[in-house]
Amino acid sequence: MADKVLMKGNEAIAEAAILAGCRHYFGYPITPQTEIAAYMAKKMPKIGGTFLQAESEIAAINMVYGVSSTGKRVMTSSSSPGISLKGEGLSYLAGADLPALVVNVQRGGPGLGGIQPSQSDYFQATRGGAHGDFKMIVLAPHSVQEMAELTVKGFDLADKYRMTAMILADGTMGQMMEPVSLDFAASEPVAKPWATTGTKMEREHNIVNSLFLQPDELEKVNFERYERYKVIEENEAMYEEYMMEDAEYCVVAFGIAARVSKNAVAEARKKGIKVGLIRPITLWPFPTAAFAKTMGKIKEYISVELSMGQMIEDVRLATECSAPVTLCNRVGGMIPSPEQVLAAIETAAKNGGAK
Amino acid sequence: MVVFDKPHALTDVPLHYCPGCTHGIVHRLVAEAIDELGIEGRTIGIAPVGCSVMAYNYFNCDMIEAAHGRAPAVATGVKRSDPENNIVFTYQGDGDLASIGMAETVHAAARNENITVIFINNAIYGMTGGQMAPTSLPGQVTQTSPYGRDPKHCGFPVKVCEMLSELDGPEYLERVTVNNVKNVRAAKKAIKKAFQNQIEGKGFSLIEVVSTCPTNWGLTPQAALKWLEDNMLPYYPLGVYKDRSAKEEAK
């Protein structure tokens, strides 16, 4: 076991990316994720990598598109309003089947919103995030350790499935400091025969492209892409269960909301309420299997979110509305307190799952 | 004896361009430059959105299709992924380079990004059917300026070479045209120099090619060349707008 170091969540992402073999970072300043860019600016020149501050979020994601086209690991990071600007690039990355890691350290919205933590980009992240049919693998860390681990995992999954992996964190995750172990196994290199690295006059030219003017061709690549997505749904969903063995009530939360909720669940248990927690780690694919086995046993699900209720829709779908799903939330940069979540659990227990 | 042949850097795919369009000439000049410099195997081209969107089918080197206006940013990524080996060019029209992609153009130039930019200025959006471009001339009738471009309403055309020449960044800026044999030869020389500069690590080179769009100008190919000479060239004078190395040598 390697020594642990005390790091900010944002720095853990940056260091983990370097450990994962990423040598190209492009970004644009925005709070609360700027530590990632600052870390990369300091480190990359010393290890033969590239840090470049782009003229815009749009340019940054297109620089990512360029490096990814050549087969190398590459990333960008931003926060909510910046991710909206990157939307165009995310769609093109998907259309051209290019791997990339994109970090969204979310802040309150809509519009310029605020700079405090939020989870209100859940829909944007899990539904693709821009025009056209596509998905991103969405990873939701709830500790600094996971900020690092899921960054490495994100690069691996992005390469494996030729798509964008997004770290969907929030301002708290980005800013808080915790001890973290950076002892990762080296990633398996993935062959990229499609990459535009120059023909060397030894092969036909490669073309990285998302344009298909023949509708039947475009339909075909969409169906093929969704076949790949199906494999991901079957194999890559991740979640954590907490006190779920005998649970009659189930709190569902990710990221900072899950940490708060764990405290509330432990408190409720002390009061004799049989409650547990499911923490989705992948938001897409949503871990439906975790919910399937709870159906018929759970009287009420409580979705704890830093949004007006976005993941709650996936909980309803995953539970096939077999029990009521209620929302416990704060927004605008506010974080639910353990007391608020505990109160929601107590209310659910009092109602006994009555619809 | 072969006296005229297709450059190796061009594929056998038939061009989709309209009769009389000068894209075909410029494609050939780019390919000839790539052939003569022996760089096809390490060249990566970036196609834009616009009439040359399918340029990736026409060049034998590796090709990437970029989002509208983003080619210089994509090129930046490709170049930086392997700066010693990759030769990177973008091929962009006026809407792509001087309107939606203006920020990417200006900043790639300001960074003196070591890439080659081929800029086709035909004063109109061709692919979408003839709308007003950032380079459409005052008074020019297009689908979206049906009464003629009125500078009081929508401003003046953008002179890209003049504008970029004020930046300290770029290495080489030249405006050429391909309306006759003499000018085609001059354009070839400029394009080759723009690639040579990159090979030598000198930085950002942009060649603006004043071009025709007979279809959307509503003119025959021949009349379009005449219109270019009478209207475009007075507004967009040909010449070298910046050549930093030459200037430094002269000192």
Side-chain angles (χ1 to χ4, degrees):
Chain A
M1 186 71 190
D3 289 341
K4 288 196 171 185
V5 285
L6 192 64
M7 286 185 113
K8 266 193 175 188
N10 284 335
E11 294 169 345
I13 283 180
E15 184 58 32
I18 290 168
L19 290 170
C22 174
R23 290 294 178 274
H24 292 84
Y25 172 94
F26 304 93
Y28 184 87
I30 183 169
T31 305
Q33 61 79 51
T34 307
E35 292 86 358
I36 302 177
Y39 196 93
M40 291 303 198
K42 220 170 180 177
K43 272 255 172 149
M44 282 300 193
K46 293 189 175 166
I47 55 172
T50 296
F51 163 84
L52 188 63
Q53 183 168 317
E55 61 269 28
S56 68
E57 303 284 5
I58 297 168
I61 192 76
N62 280 284
M63 290 171 187
V64 167
Y65 184 96
V67 171
S68 182
S69 296
T70 69
K72 294 191 171 165
R73 286 193 163 180
V74 57
M75 73 175 286
T76 184
S77 62
S78 189
S79 179
S80 308
I83 296 294
S84 292
L85 285 169
K86 289 187 198 296
E88 175 192 79
L90 295 175
S91 177
Y92 278 73
L93 285 165
D97 295 314
L98 290 174
L101 187 87
V102 176
V103 179
N104 181 1
V105 184
Q106 297 168 93
R107 55 189 252 182
L112 199 48
I115 58 168
Q116 300 298 327
S118 171
Q119 296 179 331
S120 53
D121 303 344
Y122 181 94
F123 281 150
Q124 186 193 43
T126 58
R127 270 63 179 168
H131 68 279
D133 279 316
F134 76 96
K135 297 286 188 188
M136 297 185 289
I137 294 169
V138 183
L139 303 161
H142 92 317
S143 64
V144 175
Q145 184 64 43
E146 274 192 354
M147 291 284 259
E149 282 173 12
L150 294 178
T151 295
V152 177
K153 178 97 182 164
F155 275 112
D156 289 345
L157 290 174
D159 274 351
K160 185 175 176 186
Y161 295 107
R162 288 184 65 176
M163 62 192 290
T164 296
M166 175 176 275
I167 305 291
L168 193 71
D170 61 68
T172 329
M173 286 297 134
Q175 298 298 322
M176 72 184 196
M177 295 185 84
E178 284 183 325
V180 51
S181 159
L182 294 163
D183 187 17
F184 301 118
S187 302
E188 290 280 319
V190 175
K192 297 177 178 175
W194 46 264
T196 50
T197 51
T199 64
K200 316 276 189 292
M201 309 304 273
E202 288 165 358
R203 57 160 169 78
E204 291 286 296
H205 68 161
N206 281 341
I207 300 172
V208 169
N209 178 35
S210 65
L211 178 69
F212 297 87
L213 288 177
Q214 298 302 324
D216 55 339
E217 275 181 47
L218 183 55
E219 181 188 52
K220 188 163 161 270
V221 294
N222 270 281
F223 275 122
E224 283 169 359
R225 196 167 292 127
Y226 271 70
E227 283 300 313
R228 197 161 8 117
Y229 291 167
K230 213 190 301 177
V231 175
I232 298 168
E233 284 175 328
E234 282 162 10
N235 295 295
E236 307 294 354
M238 294 190 289
Y239 59 93
E240 180 195 351
E241 290 173 323
Y242 178 70
M243 297 189 172
M244 282 298 294
E245 301 78 24
D246 59 344
E248 293 174 354
Y249 299 91
C250 175
V251 174
V252 189
F254 66 96
I256 185 63
R259 288 180 70 129
V260 171
S261 297
K262 271 186 187 174
N263 289 336
V265 166
E267 283 303 308
R269 282 277 176 177
K270 284 183 200 161
K271 295 188 173 197
I273 303 171
K274 289 186 174 176
V275 59
L277 174 130
I278 295 175
R279 176 173 73 91
I281 299 171
T282 52
L283 301 180
W284 192 87
F286 196 72
T288 45
F291 293 92
K293 60 187 182 186
T294 67
M295 281 194 277
K297 296 176 195 160
I298 297 295
K299 293 177 182 167
E300 183 171 323
Y301 298 87
I302 304 161
S303 191
V304 182
E305 303 183 52
L306 278 66
S307 76
M308 291 306 294
Q310 299 191 16
M311 181 180 66
I312 191 169
E313 294 191 5
D314 282 335
V315 177
R316 286 192 177 123
L317 286 168
T319 58
E320 296 171 13
C321 297
S322 57
V325 185
T326 52
L327 178 67
C328 173
N329 66 331
R330 293 298 299 271
V331 297
M334 302 302 290
I335 299 173
S337 64
E339 293 74 27
Q340 185 189 349
V341 180
L342 178 60
I345 294 168
E346 288 178 317
T347 303
K350 205 173 354 168
N351 291 344
K355 290 204 183 186
Chain B
M1 190 177 81
V2 179
V3 291
F4 190 79
D5 204 1
K6 186 177 68 63
H8 189 274
L10 282 183
T11 63
D12 291 328
V13 177
L15 303 182
H16 71 278
Y17 301 113
C18 302
C21 166
T22 46
H23 267 308
I25 298 172
V26 184
H27 276 30
R28 182 179 172 98
L29 298 183
V30 170
E32 284 180 359
I34 291 171
D35 275 14
E36 289 168 22
L37 294 166
I39 52 173
E40 186 190 313
R42 61 185 181 119
T43 296
I44 296 138
I46 322 288
V49 173
C51 280
S52 46
V53 66
M54 283 179 287
Y56 55 77
N57 284 327
Y58 306 141
F59 290 100
N60 251 327
C61 56
D62 276 356
M63 292 295 293
I64 299 169
E65 162 49 31
H68 198 22
R70 316 302 175 213
V74 174
T76 297
V78 175
K79 187 69 189 182
R80 302 254 180 165
S81 80
D82 193 352
E84 300 306 315
N85 291 308
N86 291 349
I87 299 296
V88 187
F89 76 93
T90 72
Y91 188 105
Q92 305 172 258
D94 42 57
D96 192 87
L97 180 140
S99 193
I100 199 166
M102 183 59 102
E104 286 78 3
T105 304
V106 170
H107 285 275
R111 287 192 302 267
N112 197 27
E113 206 66 52
N114 191 23
I115 60 172
T116 301
V117 174
I118 309 297
F119 167 36
I120 306 298
N121 177 6
N122 61 7
I124 205 151
Y125 283 80
M127 189 60 129
T128 43
Q131 294 79 30
M132 188 183 73
T135 53
S136 291
L137 298 175
Q140 189 178 336
V141 173
T142 72
Q143 202 182 64
T144 51
S145 57
Y147 310 111
R149 177 174 189 157
D150 178 3
K152 278 188 286 201
H153 170 65
C154 52
F156 288 89
V158 178
K159 296 178 176 179
V160 171
C161 281
E162 287 86 337
M163 184 188 68
L164 294 181
S165 70
E166 289 298 312
L167 296 172
D168 292 335
E171 161 68 21
Y172 192 79
L173 306 165
E174 183 173 353
R175 183 180 290 129
V176 298
T177 189
V178 287
N179 63 322
N180 59 40
V181 174
K182 178 171 163 279
N183 283 337
V184 168
R185 291 173 69 92
K188 164 73 181 297
K189 201 175 150 210
I191 289 169
K192 193 170 170 184
K193 184 175 172 68
F195 278 98
Q196 185 65 41
N197 284 343
Q198 186 180 164
I199 292 167
E200 292 171 17
K202 287 179 175 172
F204 186 90
S205 299
L206 178 146
I207 307 302
E208 175 174 345
V209 187
V210 180
S211 302
T212 62
C213 182
T215 299
N216 289 300
W217 289 359
L219 299 171
T220 64
Q222 221 167 359
L225 289 172
K226 178 82 169 58
W227 194 86
L228 176 148
E229 287 153 14
D230 293 346
N231 300 280
M232 296 277 284
L233 297 185
Y235 203 92
Y236 298 111
L238 305 182
V240 176
Y241 284 82
K242 188 160 190 201
D243 186 350
R244 187 176 35 226
S245 294
K247 202 174 162 192
E248 281 168 6
E249 276 164 29
K251 273 182 192 166

